[in-house]
Amino acid sequence: MTVTGKLVDGEHTVVVTNDPVTLGRTKESGIVDKNVSRKHAVLKKSAAYTICVECLGANGVSVRQSGKEEWITIKKGATLDVNIKKGFMLALPAASNVNHVIYQFESEVSEEVLQPSPKRRKVESSHVDGKTKTIKIGTRNIIPIGLGTLPLGVDYPDPNKKPSRENAMKIISEFTREASRMGGCAFIDTADTYCAGPKDYHLVESMMGEALKASDMVTKCCVATKGGMVRPSSTAWFPKKVTPDAVETWVRDSAKALKPQPIFLYQLHHCEGVPLPTLGAVMERLVSLKKEGLLENIGLCNATAEQIIYCHKKLISLGLPGLASVQNEFSLWKKTAGNPLPEGRKPGKTSKLGTVQICQDNGIVFIAYGVLGGLASRKQARSLAKEFPLVTKIAEKYNVSPQVLLLAYFRAKYPFLVPICGSRSVPHALDNLKALSVSLTKAEMSQLDKIKK
């Protein structure tokens, strides 16, 4: 069931949110499901809007204008024009066998941001013996297997397995040294909240700055950091309110913690739910901070398809090549980002569907987290060997671990992709780099392509 809308006066925009707040001129879409029984739409100003509702569900959907008692039930196959002045609510009938309702409101001002950038560019790669050894982000050639540093800072799931500060710094320096031997810069991902709790912010960032300086590896490492989360306890994570001023504070604090290591790539940690106008203002501020020399490249993390295209075009309008990277979850367990958009479907506001393809089409490096199972694997809730025996079988042929084989597959399948893998020991961190020496056959790639969870 799809709801589409168009402005009557062409001046304002209908905004749909979980809470009745105003977000400004933008295009909004989302999902109502049975666990979220209704959604509010709030108008920026008291103006008339028309939405056209078409019901494709078995039992229909109910629409109610805010402030009114009655619900209008739209039955299967029916269409209805509704004139709204103060807002509306959508709800699924309790007896409906429809699991969710997709809603979407369009406006003239936001239509253009939903189309891919006309300037198609490719992620530059260097090749050695037929294998991709480095890819370019900004002006630097990086080794396309990254080190994730979350396990170096957080206590869960087992604080006894968290490496000491000395050992964590050794992992950082040895990974960087090995990447340098391979002919490129190490790519290490971190965040201001990779720590044990609220009193320990910038823990890993400070360790990185200290480790790279002590090992004389500052110029051999490209550090990507993130800001935008809050840690009220050792296990809790929540997104912070995003504003340009807040983002500037996060950048300056991270730059101070990493010193003398520069911020190679700065990413907004949790883009979901951030309105496009706010993201636009944040991009402007980040460009200003780049000109000041506080960061080199700009990226997004946990971003939707719509947000990626919007921010990419915004940065181009500000004189940059666009987004340098997007970091989203992508694995055999979570394939949404890699699944293509259905023909004719526009990039969604709340969905990450098609984000890998969008990055490929626009020359944006896709940084994949969770490729090896992420935190769920450390909690033993996921098992690569047990759930995907084909990966283990092919890995045995190459005398590598299933994890290395899986990294080799993702790198071969998506040359513009950089998987980041958390490690709590030097051998584990260096073992992941072996993936760049594995060359899978076409038959093996075809077999792995057919894996379904």
Side-chain angles (χ1 to χ4, degrees):
M1 181 279 174
T2 302
V3 182
T4 60
K6 186 177 181 181
L7 301 184
V8 171
D9 57 10
E11 183 180 354
H12 305 294
T13 304
V14 175
V15 179
V16 181
T17 67
N18 287 323
D19 301 304
V21 297
T22 297
L23 301 181
R25 292 169 70 95
T26 184
K27 174 166 181 170
E28 298 290 331
S29 60
I31 295 176
V32 179
D33 59 36
K34 286 185 176 179
N35 295 321
V36 182
S37 60
R38 61 188 184 183
K39 288 276 184 175
H40 295 264
V42 180
L43 308 187
K44 184 177 178 67
K45 293 185 179 180
S46 182
Y49 302 84
T50 299
I51 62 170
C52 176
V53 181
E54 180 181 7
C55 181
L56 305 178
N59 293 317
V61 66
S62 297
V63 179
R64 188 185 74 176
Q65 182 177 330
S66 295
K68 300 272 186 173
E69 290 294 329
E70 69 274 16
W71 288 82
I72 303 170
T73 300
I74 307 159
K75 297 183 178 180
K76 182 178 180 181
T79 60
L80 178 70
D81 287 335
V82 183
N83 190 20
I84 300 172
K85 289 188 177 182
K86 293 184 178 179
F88 80 101
M89 290 163 55
L90 285 176
L92 284 167
S96 173
N97 62 3
V98 180
N99 291 321
H100 63 267
V101 175
I102 300 173
Y103 59 82
Q104 184 168 290
F105 293 85
E106 300 175 352
S107 71
E108 297 172 3
V109 297
S110 63
E111 184 69 24
E112 65 178 70
V113 308
L114 298 178
Q115 304 305 322
S117 169
K119 295 183 179 180
R120 184 186 178 98
R121 58 188 175 114
K122 293 183 178 180
V123 175
E124 295 182 36
S125 304
S126 66
H127 300 268
V128 179
D129 298 329
K131 304 182 187 73
T132 301
K133 288 296 185 182
T134 66
I135 67 173
K136 181 171 280 189
I137 297 181
T139 60
R140 307 288 295 278
N141 291 313
I142 69 164
I143 298 297
I145 299 288
L147 173 65
T149 60
L150 176 67
L152 306 184
V154 299
D155 286 342
Y156 62 86
D158 185 354
N160 295 321
K161 292 184 178 180
K162 177 181 174 180
S164 65
R165 184 180 183 90
E166 180 183 359
N167 287 338
M169 290 171 60
K170 187 175 181 180
I171 292 169
I172 292 165
S173 59
E174 289 301 313
F175 183 85
T176 302
R177 185 172 285 109
E178 182 62 22
S180 181
R181 291 194 193 105
M182 297 174 69
C185 290
F187 183 78
I188 304 184
D189 177 79
T190 189
D192 56 6
T193 48
Y194 284 1
C195 57
K199 296 182 180 180
D200 212 13
Y201 285 0
H202 305 287
L203 171 67
V204 175
E205 288 178 328
S206 66
M207 287 194 300
M208 291 184 68
E210 184 179 341
L212 294 169
K213 179 182 178 181
S215 58
D216 197 25
M217 287 283 167
V218 170
T219 62
K220 303 296 184 181
C221 184
C222 293
V223 174
T225 193
K226 304 180 288 291
M229 299 292 286
V230 63
R231 298 288 307 282
S233 70
S234 62
T235 58
W237 298 73
F238 296 104
K240 292 180 180 177
K241 182 178 181 180
V242 176
T243 68
D245 287 345
V247 172
E248 179 171 343
T249 298
W250 304 338
V251 170
R252 293 188 183 279
D253 288 346
S254 287
K256 183 178 179 180
L258 282 163
K259 195 174 182 179
Q261 188 68 35
I263 298 177
F264 171 71
L265 172 64
Y266 192 83
Q267 306 158 100
L268 196 59
H269 203 154
H270 203 283
C271 295
E272 291 170 315
V274 181
L276 297 185
T278 300
L279 283 175
V282 167
M283 294 300 107
E284 292 176 359
R285 186 65 61 88
L286 288 173
V287 169
S288 176
L289 295 171
K290 172 179 167 61
K291 292 177 180 178
E292 191 177 327
L294 287 171
L295 57 96
E296 293 184 40
N297 300 285
I298 299 169
L300 302 177
C301 185
N302 296 306
T304 67
E306 183 188 55
Q307 290 172 329
I308 294 169
I309 293 175
Y310 178 86
C311 290
H312 185 62
K313 297 186 75 172
K314 180 68 175 180
L315 290 175
I316 290 174
S317 73
L318 295 170
L320 270 62
L323 285 169
S325 67
V326 169
Q327 182 178 155
N328 279 353
E329 186 175 11
F330 186 32
S331 67
L332 293 181
W333 293 273
K334 295 277 189 177
K335 292 185 174 182
T336 301
N339 292 333
L341 283 170
E343 186 176 354
R345 179 172 171 179
K346 296 175 181 177
K349 176 189 179 299
T350 60
S351 174
K352 297 181 180 67
L353 184 69
T355 52
V356 169
Q357 183 65 50
I358 289 171
C359 287
Q360 182 180 29
D361 289 346
N362 290 279
I364 303 169
V365 172
F366 188 94
I367 302 170
Y369 73 85
V371 173
L372 301 181
L375 179 62
S377 290
R378 294 200 295 275
K379 291 181 176 179
Q380 299 184 337
R382 290 175 179 170
S383 171
L384 177 58
K386 292 180 180 180
E387 295 178 66
F388 305 105
L390 176 62
V391 175
T392 301
K393 180 180 178 181
I394 298 176
E396 290 172 351
K397 171 186 171 182
Y398 292 94
N399 195 29
V400 296
S401 67
Q403 288 77 14
V404 167
L405 193 284
L406 189 58
L407 292 174
Y409 166 70
F410 272 92
R411 282 292 305 131
K413 180 75 173 177
Y414 309 99
F416 54 95
L417 180 146
V418 177
I420 51 172
C421 312
S423 299
R424 284 181 165 170
S425 71
V426 171
H428 182 204
L430 300 188
D431 188 61
N432 290 332
L433 295 172
K434 294 179 182 178
L436 298 175
S437 300
V438 176
S439 295
L440 297 168
T441 67
K442 290 183 178 179
E444 289 164 344
M445 289 294 295
S446 179
Q447 286 180 290
L448 292 167
D449 285 343
K450 295 175 183 177
I451 286 180
K452 293 182 179 180
K453 180 68 178 79

